[in-house]
């Protein structure tokens, strides 16, 4: 496969996506990138916009545009942002860039006469008081008190909003007051330098900018000499405004909320700092644009690229924003015709206006709205139309044919409000998900389930996996989305970099030299999915960077209806080839919900379909053991009584576990059952770190086993099985209630008992199975002298790698833990042959523990470091037990023989 | 017309998550979009993110909760399973006036999760139950 092709392949695979809250996390199509958020011009536009006011010579063309009083007020509010922008960025963005939305307004050669401005000249004090007045106006609104979350930035936005309303009312009353430039005093050279572009006809505003900002935000900078300051001063003070936190404010004692409100310093280089900067630019761009556009509302034709011309269809209010359903207007030139019925073919968009813009626009059905770039378009799953964000540069166009006075009562038209959204559903991101770029998919199409005919053609989404797969033939990806239910989520180890899909069935107990899954870096996420025709497929998804991630995917996807997108067929497997996989599928068969009548409901929408059956999780162990099925899957919770690790560490090789659960420990079980069950964790079962930790710990632990395989009377966890840790330390009442809740969740039996102490074990019988536990008593009939020995061991680390110190022969030096061992522990091993009444005619060989050996030998303590030796005659005929033993080997040939090892639970 | 904003928010979080995962960077467009959708609370939430103020507490029972250190140092416990924050802004802006989707603390939790910068901390089951039932000392 060429690298190019492979890349395409992986992209296809990333497109598997899921419609619910899980949708797309980690597996969403790459083709949505750069995400669903596309902006007509990226945020760089903001830089450009902001800078263009300051530096672009083109802006000077605008100087003749008329100004209304209210506009000036607004500018007075907005200017500081501009000043900040300039201070912060004029150096790095020196190039002027013509702003796209201004060229339409460049021909404003209005010559309206303007009365003198209310703000006289450049005297500072009146200006400041005026600003204060504005503030009072703003705070006077019969609004509920502001809450801490809105910083002063928010407040200033409120001002803007109020102000823009004011502006609208001015505008609509047609009593526009224009301000001739020559009536205003000359600007200072500084202001001219920086703000000349839009200040050309109202220069004194430039002076008032800074004070108004400072005033409203309680900055303590001295502003009185603003007009006399040099450029350097100006920039410095502007930078100070940008960056200097108000420490005095922080130090004041106040409520936590207050201090949060006043905290202005953002972490240098942080996201907040960046947004703050962007926001300042944006704000100045908006105010400038609005200032420009107010005199331009009668323009009805737009021939500039990037401008959305929309017919408003419906307006709703949603969380203080306005959500407007719109349709694209016909191509420019055709002109708006409001009498036309809204054509269904026209593309719909959803437009969001923030409170500020909405207050200015007051959109209503039938309006025509122009949205100028930079707007952003977001495509969201679940919404067929794009959503337009960042609609600050929006303008309502008064059409020629529309009588002007119809717009007067607009303020009374209140948009219908959306219901508050449901707080009980989170946005589905509160779990961390990481995915790798190396995606892969595998659709294995099992044979025997395809006993039905494919349905008819469904446009768009497909309900039948089989149909989608067969339609594409042998090559290529499945073009259609297929709706499926995720029945199981599991991970599989990657044997090596080659394809996972080996044709050979995996043997349950691989040699321990096989690559250890726990230590291997990579595991692959897989899901077993079922479509509504009950066709199963296994979909191989991306690699998991961390094995523990599987739990989150389980929680997220299992039992959910999802959409498979961009899948590709890797292999078609049959029952004979993949018995294990089919044992899992069989465990889900027959389906809980009967086959749907697809004939009558050909176009079931995603929303109206119920989620697939969730995992019915638990069986009891006793049921499993008595099951007649040769190979089946089962899920259960059990307590691990004993662990046998093949190699030095858990996870390196296969692990045998001896399990029990309360149902197996009942005093008088309803049916005869084994008290313990053996389970083998194969190396193909991926163990999460918490499971490894639990298995390494000597303490008994509770584990949940999902989709374990029962084969030949033995439980096996292999590929597709998932083990999780149950935390059930019975400490304190709280924990025990938690435990009860947890257990009752996991066990199908309503009554949950705790395990008896000590746990009950089966007495040793002839039908004992290997890797299980039993109780045993018997009489010693022989001693295996070949295995009887003792040796000194380090009493710190248990290692027998000791060296005699030459100077003090009684002392040792441990090579393993590099320490001197004064009194080494003496280890002792003895294996004896027993006869037992419960297993007569069977040779029992039992490896004894030291404690038992000592009691057998009647030795209170080992003398020195030397095992005193023993007399075989003294041991023979002695009774041992009852003791607990682990059954290592059971053979019947040539004669019944059971090898056991005494253990301590 | 069902509420659109939650879907928009969700999509933005997803975009942030994916972009940040791929590039360890959040482009300006997304910041601007966040600001547009969440208003002033976006800036404050990003500041909380910068300060790594969000911790995910988990207990052995498997329960989880988010704890956000507010700008004042006060701890706000936010739930994983639903949108709730004990801060006054949530009570006011979200619950009472329905003027915002989230408060800055929950928004910060989402952003931290999207960027994978949530601090992790284990607490006992008892501590968790006290936190969730509101009986823990703040």
């Amino acid at each position: 496969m060429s690298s190019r092709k492979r890349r395409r392949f992986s992209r296809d695979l990333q497109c598997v996506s899921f419609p619910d809250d899980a949708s797309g996390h980690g597996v969403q199509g790459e083709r949505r990138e750069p995400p669903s958020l596309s902006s007509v011009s990226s945020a760089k536009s903001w830089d450009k916009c902001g800078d263009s006011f300051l530096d672009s010579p083109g802006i000077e063309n605008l100087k003749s545009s008329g100004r209304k009083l209210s506009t000036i007020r607004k500018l007075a509010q907005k200017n500081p942002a501009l000043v900040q922008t300039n201070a912060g960025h004029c150096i790095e963005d020196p190039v002027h860039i013509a702003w796209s939305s201004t060229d339409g307004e460049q021909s404003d050669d209005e010559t309206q006469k303007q009365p003198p401005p209310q703000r006289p000249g450049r005297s500072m004090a009146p200006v400041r008081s005026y600003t204060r007045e504005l503030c009072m106006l703003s705070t006077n609104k019969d609004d509920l008190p502001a809450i801490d979350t809105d910083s002063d930035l928010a407040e200033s936005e409120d001002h803007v909003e109020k102000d823009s309303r004011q502006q609208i009312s001015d505008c609509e009353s047609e009593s526009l007051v224009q301000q001739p430039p020559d009536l205003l005093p000359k600007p200072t050279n500084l202001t001219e330098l920086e703000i000349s572009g839009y200040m050309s006809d109202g220069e004194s505003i430039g002076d008032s900018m800074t004070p108004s900002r400072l005033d409203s935000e309680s900055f303590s900078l001295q502003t009185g000499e603003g007009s006399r300051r040099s450029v350097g001063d100006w920039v410095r003070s502007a930078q100070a405004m940008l960056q200097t936190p108000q420490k005095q404010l922080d130090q004041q004692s106040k409520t936590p909320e207050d201090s949060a409100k006043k905290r202005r310093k953002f972490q240098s280089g942080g996201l907040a700092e960046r947004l703050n900067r962007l926001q300042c630019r944006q704000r100045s761009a908006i105010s400038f644009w609005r200032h420009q556009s107010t005199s331009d509302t009668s323009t009805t034709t737009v021939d500039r690229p990037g401008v959305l011309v929309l017919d408003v269809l419906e307006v709703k209010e949603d969380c203080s924003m306005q959500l407007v359903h719109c349709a694209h207007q016909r191509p420019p030139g055709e002109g708006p015709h409001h009498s036309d019925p809204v054509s269904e073919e026209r593309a719909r968009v959803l437009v969001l206006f923030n409170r500020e813009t909405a207050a200015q626009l007051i959109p209503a059905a039938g309006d025509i709205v122009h949205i100028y770039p930079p707007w952003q378009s977001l495509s969201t799953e679940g919404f067929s139309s794009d959503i337009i964000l960042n609609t600050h540069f929006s303008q309502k166009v008064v059409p020629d044919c529309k009588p002007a006075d119809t717009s007067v009562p607009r303020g009374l038209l209140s948009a219908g409000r959306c219901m508050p959204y449901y707080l009980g559903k989170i946005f589905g991101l509160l779990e961390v998900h990481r995915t790798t770029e190396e995606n892969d998919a595998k659709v294995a199409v099992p044979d025997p389930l395809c006993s039905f005919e494919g349905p008819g053609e469904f446009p768009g989404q497909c309900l039948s996996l089989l149909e989608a797969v067969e339609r594409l033939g042998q090559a290529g990806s499945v073009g259609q989305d297929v709706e499926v239910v995720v029945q199981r989520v599991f991970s599989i180890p990657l044997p090596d970099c080659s394809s996972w899909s080996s044709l050979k069935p995996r043997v349950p107990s691989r040699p321990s030299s096989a690559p250890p899954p726990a230590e291997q870096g990579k595991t692959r996420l897989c899901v077993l999915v079922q479509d509504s025709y009950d066709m199963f497929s296994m979909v191989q998804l991306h690699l998991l960077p961390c094995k523990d991630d599987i739990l989150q995917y389980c929680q997220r996807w299992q039992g959910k209806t999802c959409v498979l997108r961009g899948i590709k067929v890797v292999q078609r497997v049959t029952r004979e080839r993949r018995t294990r996989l089919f044992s899992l599928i069989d465990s889900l068969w027959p389906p809980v919900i009967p086959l749907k009548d697809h004939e009558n409901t050909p176009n079931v929408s995603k929303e109206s379909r119920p989620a697939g059956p969730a995992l019915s999780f638990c069986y009891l162990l006793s049921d499993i053991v008595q099951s007649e099925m040769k190979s089946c899957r089962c899920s259960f919770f059990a307590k691990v009584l004993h662990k046998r690790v093949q190699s030095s560490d858990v996870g390196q090789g296969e692990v045998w576990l001896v399990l029990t659960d309360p149902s197996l420990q009942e005093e008088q079980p309803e049916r005869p059952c084994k008290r313990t069950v053996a389970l083998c964790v194969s190396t193909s079962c991926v163990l999460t770190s918490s499971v490894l930790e639990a298995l390494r710990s000597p303490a008994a632990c509770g584990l949940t086993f999902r989709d374990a395989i029962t084969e030949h009377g033995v439980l096996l966890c292999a590929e597709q099985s998932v083990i999780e840790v149950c935390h059930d330390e019975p400490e304190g009442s709280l924990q025990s209630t938690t435990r009860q809740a947890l257990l009752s969740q996991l066990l199908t039996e309503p009554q949950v008992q705790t395990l008896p102490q000590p746990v009950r074990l089966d007495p040793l019988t002839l039908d004992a199975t290997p890797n299980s536990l039993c109780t045993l008593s018997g009489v010693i009939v022989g001693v295996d002298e070949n295995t009887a020995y003792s040796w000194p061991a380090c009493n710190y680390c248990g290692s027998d790698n000791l060296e005699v110190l030459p100077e003090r022969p009684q002392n040792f030096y441990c090579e393993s833990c590099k320490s001197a061992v004064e009194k080494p522990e003496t280890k002792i091993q003895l294996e004896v042959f027993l006869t037992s009444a419960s297993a007569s005619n069977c040779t029992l060989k039992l490896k004894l523990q030291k404690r038992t050996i000592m009691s057998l030998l009647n030795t209170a303590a080992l003398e020195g470091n030397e095992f005193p030796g023993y007399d075989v005659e003294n041991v023979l005929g002695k009774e041992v037990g009852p003791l607990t033993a682990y059954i290592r080997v059971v053979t019947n040939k040539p004669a019944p023989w059971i090898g056991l090892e005494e253990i301590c639970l | 017309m069902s509420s659109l904003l939650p879907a928009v928010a969700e999509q933005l979080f997803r975009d942030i998550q994916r972009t940040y995962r791929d590039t360890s960077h959040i482009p300006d467009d997304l910041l601007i979009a966040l600001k547009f959708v969440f208003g002033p609370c976006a800036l404050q939430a990003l500041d909380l993110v910068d300060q790594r103020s969000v911790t995910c507490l988990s207990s052995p029972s498997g329960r989880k909760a988010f704890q956000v250190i507010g700008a004042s140092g006060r701890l706000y416990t936010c739930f994983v399973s639903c949108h709730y924050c004990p801060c006054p802004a949530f009570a006011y802006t979200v619950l009472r006036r329905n003027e915002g989707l989230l408060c800055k603390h929950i928004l910060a939790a989402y952003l931290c999760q999207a960027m994978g910068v949530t601090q992790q901390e284990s607490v006992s089951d008892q501590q968790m139950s006290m936190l969730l039932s509101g009986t823990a000392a703040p």
Side-chain angles (χ1 to χ4, degrees), chain A residues 41-42 44-59 62 82 95-106 198 281-293 304-305 372-375 392-394:
Chain A
S41 39
S42 73
K44 276 221 160 41
S45 311
W46 292 115
D47 304 13
K48 296 170 186 173
C49 288
D51 295 331
S52 66
F53 305 133
L54 310 169
D55 302 314
S56 169
I59 301 259
L62 305 171
L82 188 67
V95 186
H96 64 78
I97 294 152
W99 184 32
S100 62
S101 64
T102 57
D103 45 4
E105 285 90 22
Q106 286 181 2
Y198 59 95
R281 290 181 192 180
Q282 188 182 47
R283 229 181 286 146
S284 59
I286 294 164
S287 65
F288 178 68
W289 182 84
R290 208 167 281 164
H291 168 69
Q292 285 292 313
S293 63
R304 267 178 295 137
Y372 296 87
W375 42 264
H392 302 287
F393 303 101
S394 301

Side-chain angles (χ1 to χ4, degrees), chain A residues 619-659:
Chain A
Y619 302 92
L620 291 180
L621 271 176
S622 51
D623 292 331
I624 296 159
V625 172
Q626 289 160 8
S627 166
E628 295 293 308
M629 295 177 72
K630 284 189 174 170
S631 174
C632 70
R633 297 274 179 162
C634 53
S635 302
F636 54 90
F637 163 80
K639 193 100 176 170
V640 179
L641 292 178
H642 188 68
K643 305 149 207 155
R644 284 273 147 165
V645 183
Q646 266 194 350
S647 58
S648 55
D649 192 18
V650 179
Q652 298 282 343
E654 61 181 35
V655 182
W656 280 91
L657 305 176
V658 181
L659 309 175

Side-chain angles (χ1 to χ4, degrees), chain A residues 423-426 430, chain B residues 78-85 90 106 110:
Chain A
L423 295 169
K425 184 181 176 298
I426 57 164
L430 288 176
Chain B
C78 304
F79 297 156
V80 181
S81 53
C82 68
H83 287 151
Y84 176 74
C85 179
F90 183 84
I106 306 179
Y110 273 113

Side-chain angles (χ1 to χ4, degrees), chain B:
Chain B
M1 194 186 294
S2 68
S3 189
L4 172 84
L5 278 181
V8 170
E10 208 166 348
Q11 187 63 48
L12 280 182
F13 294 147
R14 256 177 272 169
D15 289 351
I16 288 174
Q17 180 176 41
R18 195 175 316 116
T19 315
Y20 192 80
R21 188 183 57 216
D22 296 343
T23 65
S24 300
H25 179 78
I26 298 181
D28 289 350
D29 315 44
L30 281 172
L31 291 184
I32 285 285
L34 265 186
K35 163 72 172 68
F36 181 78
V37 172
F38 291 100
C41 144
L43 186 67
Q44 299 160 328
L46 284 172
D47 192 31
L48 293 173
V49 174
D50 288 336
Q51 314 281 339
R52 302 291 186 262
S53 303
V54 181
T55 307
C56 180
L57 304 176
S58 40
S59 71
S61 66
R63 296 209 184 276
K64 289 187 176 177
F66 284 96
Q67 222 166 38
V68 185
I69 308 172
S72 60
R74 199 186 142 171
L75 280 176
Y76 296 94
T77 304
C78 304
F79 297 156
V80 181
S81 53
C82 68
H83 287 151
Y84 176 74
C85 179
C87 77
F90 183 84
Y92 189 80
T93 317
V94 181
L95 293 183
R96 187 158 152 205
R97 302 205 63 188
N98 189 31
E99 282 184 351
L101 279 181
L102 303 172
C103 70
K104 61 183 170 188
H105 306 109
I106 306 179
L107 179 56
Y110 273 113
L111 293 174
C112 280
Q113 287 293 97
M115 295 167 58
V117 296
T118 314
Q119 319 274 317
Q120 302 290 333
E121 201 179 312
S122 298
V123 296
S124 70
D125 285 336
Q126 193 165 7
Q127 283 171 308
M128 179 62 77
S129 80
M130 285 167 72
L131 275 175
L132 294 183
S133 61
T135 51

